[in-house]
Amino acid sequence: MSTMVKAERVCKSYGSVEVLKGIDLEVNSGEVFCIVGPSGSGKSTFLRCINHLEKINAGRLYVDGTLVGYREKGGKLYELRDREVAAQRRDIGMVFQRFNLFPHMTAVENVMEAPVQVKRVPKAEARKRAGELLDRVGLADKRDNYPAQLSGGQQQRVAIARALAMDPKLMLFDEPTSALDPELVGEVLDVMKALAQDGMTMIVVTHEMGFAREVGDSLVFMDGGVVVESGNPRDVLTDPQHERTKLFLSKVL
């Protein structure tokens, strides 16, 4: 099995505040990799480092064997130009906590925008593909609705379709259900489960322990900028080995 994401001693600081303190982990292709932990543990920051929305201060991050955000020459790292970083990002879909849809565009226009602007896909072709993706997330009948006419769960499903429109090899989900009303969470998780069944490599920062247990292949518990515990989600959630993990899970399960 090939490695899709590899982190080696990844560190990230904001001034004197260390947010990530040497993260080491590997995510295999086709795997659903869940990251859980308390607020402020560095989960979302790490996710944003994977597509270079945040620059790391030390260590190395690879996606599909390629160093992210830098090139290495003679043992030194040199930051890539913005254009080169953007090219790397095309292969990495990201779904945020807030949906970040363009309010002045319909669902179908939101989904087709990036392929048209970034990949120069002809509009008719992009519109057809956007329609197929909206159908895939259960929103074929909402293609001409604007974000304000959609529920939070529907907006998040449009956001997932939009990320898929670039045909990514990796999908990052940053607490995709935490801004939703409880009754809308399931419809978004169902779309994510279907993606997992289709073999999409996914890294999911989540509070949904049921999803992690049911769909996840691997799980890490982060706290204070380090990986405290990792393993099979079922094992970690039912029989945590570390006191810190036990304490956290006693509050969320």
Side-chain angles (χ1 to χ4, degrees):
M1 193 176 277
S2 63
T3 301
M4 180 59 77
V5 177
K6 185 171 189 177
E8 298 176 345
R9 302 180 302 284
V10 170
C11 297
K12 171 69 185 173
S13 302
Y14 297 103
S16 61
V17 180
E18 277 187 288
V19 182
L20 300 175
K21 303 171 184 172
I23 300 288
D24 286 296
L25 56 79
E26 282 190 32
V27 180
N28 291 320
S29 295
E31 186 173 30
V32 178
F33 191 96
C34 296
I35 303 177
V36 303
S39 294
S41 57
K43 310 182 299 290
S44 293
T45 300
F46 176 68
L47 206 63
R48 292 169 69 85
C49 290
I50 294 172
N51 63 359
H52 207 59
L53 285 174
E54 298 283 357
K55 298 172 186 181
I56 63 177
N57 298 104
R60 305 274 191 281
L61 255 173
Y62 300 89
V63 172
D64 206 13
T66 302
L67 190 62
V68 174
Y70 302 91
R71 59 190 165 81
E72 195 164 351
K73 200 173 173 186
K76 283 183 121 173
L77 292 184
Y78 298 89
E79 189 159 3
L80 296 178
R81 296 187 187 93
D82 289 347
R83 194 179 71 238
E84 295 168 305
V85 172
Q88 287 187 337
R89 255 186 223 137
R90 283 181 205 177
D91 292 329
I92 305 171
M94 182 143 186
V95 178
F96 298 90
Q97 198 170 347
R98 300 274 167 200
F99 328 117
N100 299 355
L101 297 176
F102 296 116
H104 62 290
M105 290 183 181
T106 62
V108 77
E109 288 167 346
N110 264 285
V111 176
M112 62 187 275
E113 177 73 0
V116 169
Q117 298 298 335
V118 179
K119 286 188 167 178
R120 301 283 180 249
V121 174
K123 275 194 174 171
E125 186 184 323
R127 185 177 291 274
K128 180 172 180 289
R129 171 95 172 111
E132 290 165 359
L133 287 168
L134 287 171
D135 188 29
R136 186 174 172 185
V137 299
L139 291 173
D141 59 331
K142 303 288 185 189
R143 54 180 293 146
D144 297 321
N145 289 39
Y146 289 91
Q149 299 168 314
L150 301 172
S151 71
Q154 290 169 336
Q155 289 186 61
Q156 192 61 294
R157 286 187 280 155
V158 173
I160 293 172
R162 181 180 59 182
L164 292 172
M166 292 294 283
D167 294 315
K169 51 189 168 191
L170 169 66
M171 285 280 281
L172 308 176
F173 292 88
D174 189 8
E175 301 190 13
T177 58
S178 63
L180 300 178
D181 292 332
E183 70 269 22
L184 301 177
V185 167
E187 64 190 51
V188 173
L189 293 181
D190 286 344
V191 169
M192 293 169 65
K193 287 174 193 172
L195 279 181
Q197 284 162 357
D198 291 344
M200 175 63 76
T201 311
M202 297 158 62
I203 302 180
V204 185
V205 171
T206 186
H207 294 299
E208 300 292 336
M209 300 301 157
F211 174 84
R213 184 188 287 115
E214 184 188 340
V215 185
D217 298 300
S218 300
L219 179 140
V220 300
F221 169 66
M222 280 179 67
D223 189 33
V226 298
V227 172
V228 176
E229 189 162 349
S230 61
N232 180 293
R234 267 81 56 207
D235 298 340
V236 176
L237 294 173
T238 50
D239 186 24
Q241 301 302 301
H242 290 259
E243 285 306 317
R244 184 68 193 88
T245 318
K246 289 176 188 172
L247 182 65
F248 172 74
L249 291 175
S250 72
K251 291 176 180 170
V252 297
L253 286 177

